[in-house]
Amino acid sequence: MEYHGNQYLLKHVNQLSHYVRWLFAMVENDPSILSIPIGEPIPNPTKHRAISTYEEHNRRVREVIPADRLLEYDVSQGWEPLCKFLEVESCPEIPFPKTNTALSLKVQNISSVLIPLSIVLFILFSAFAHGFERLTGKKVLPWLDFRWKRFKWSMRNSGKMQVKKNM
């Protein structure tokens, strides 16, 4: 049963990897990125290419979407233009949320690495602990605790032995 859970997680990590490759291929306008094998590094997108892809996308949206059906909106404008466009009569009175700050993006980027890494490390430790217990009949954490205490005791006593030898 546990194996199926790991398989489920790995499936989603694999899907995320394919999505990131697709996104980089779109930003760089380079379909060859899609053929880079999983595990191989993807070239970092260039700022110039990312900006030009973004501007080209926006140009295409303006070309395809009728002007009366398109809202070009900047979050600094607050609720009013958004409510008007969506034909919402009573705009919220609370301040417009600011969740796309540079700090929140950094937190999202770090989390996108740390969370999957933590999950993978947990799975690896669980597999190791299970194998360790099957081989030795002992649980890993109590065994490590015992070994650590023994190591500290030996370090304290080896210092005392050196002092006695020097006397």
Side-chain angles (χ1 to χ4, degrees), residues 1 5-6 21 31 34 40 43 47 51 61 66 69 73-74 90 96 98 103 106-107 118 142-143 146-147 153 163:
M1 191 68 157
N6 294 346
R21 287 173 189 288
L34 296 171
E40 294 288 320
K47 184 176 181 178
I51 290 170
V61 167
R69 308 251 326 142
Y73 176 72
D74 185 323
S90 59
F96 195 82
K98 296 178 182 177
L103 177 61
K106 285 180 184 177
V107 169
S118 299
W143 180 82
F146 169 76
R147 299 295 275 181
W153 179 84
V163 171

Side-chain angles (χ1 to χ4, degrees), residues 6-86:
N6 294 346
Q7 195 174 34
Y8 177 79
L9 176 67
L10 292 176
K11 174 184 168 192
H12 288 287
V13 169
N14 195 25
Q15 287 174 346
L16 179 63
S17 176
H18 286 290
Y19 169 72
V20 168
R21 287 173 189 288
W22 172 83
L23 185 61
F24 277 47
M26 293 298 105
V27 168
E28 288 293 307
N29 198 17
D30 182 2
S32 70
I33 292 175
L34 296 171
S35 62
I36 296 173
I38 301 293
E40 294 288 320
I42 301 173
N44 287 330
T46 60
K47 184 176 181 178
H48 170 72
R49 182 84 54 100
I51 290 170
S52 67
T53 301
Y54 173 77
E55 288 172 348
E56 173 58 25
H57 168 77
N58 288 345
R59 186 198 63 72
R60 181 75 176 125
V61 167
R62 287 182 200 106
E63 181 181 294
V64 172
I65 307 293
D68 63 326
R69 308 251 326 142
L70 178 66
L71 172 64
E72 295 210 33
Y73 176 72
D74 185 323
V75 293
S76 65
Q77 296 171 305
W79 291 109
E80 195 126 347
L82 188 58
C83 291
K84 183 179 177 184
F85 180 78
L86 296 173

Side-chain angles (χ1 to χ4, degrees), residues 120-146:
V120 168
L121 290 175
F122 176 77
I123 291 168
L124 289 174
F125 178 77
S126 297
F128 170 77
H130 180 71
F132 183 84
E133 186 175 356
R134 288 192 71 186
L135 287 172
T136 65
K138 298 175 182 174
K139 298 210 181 272
V140 173
L141 293 179
W143 180 82
L144 279 174
D145 185 49
F146 169 76

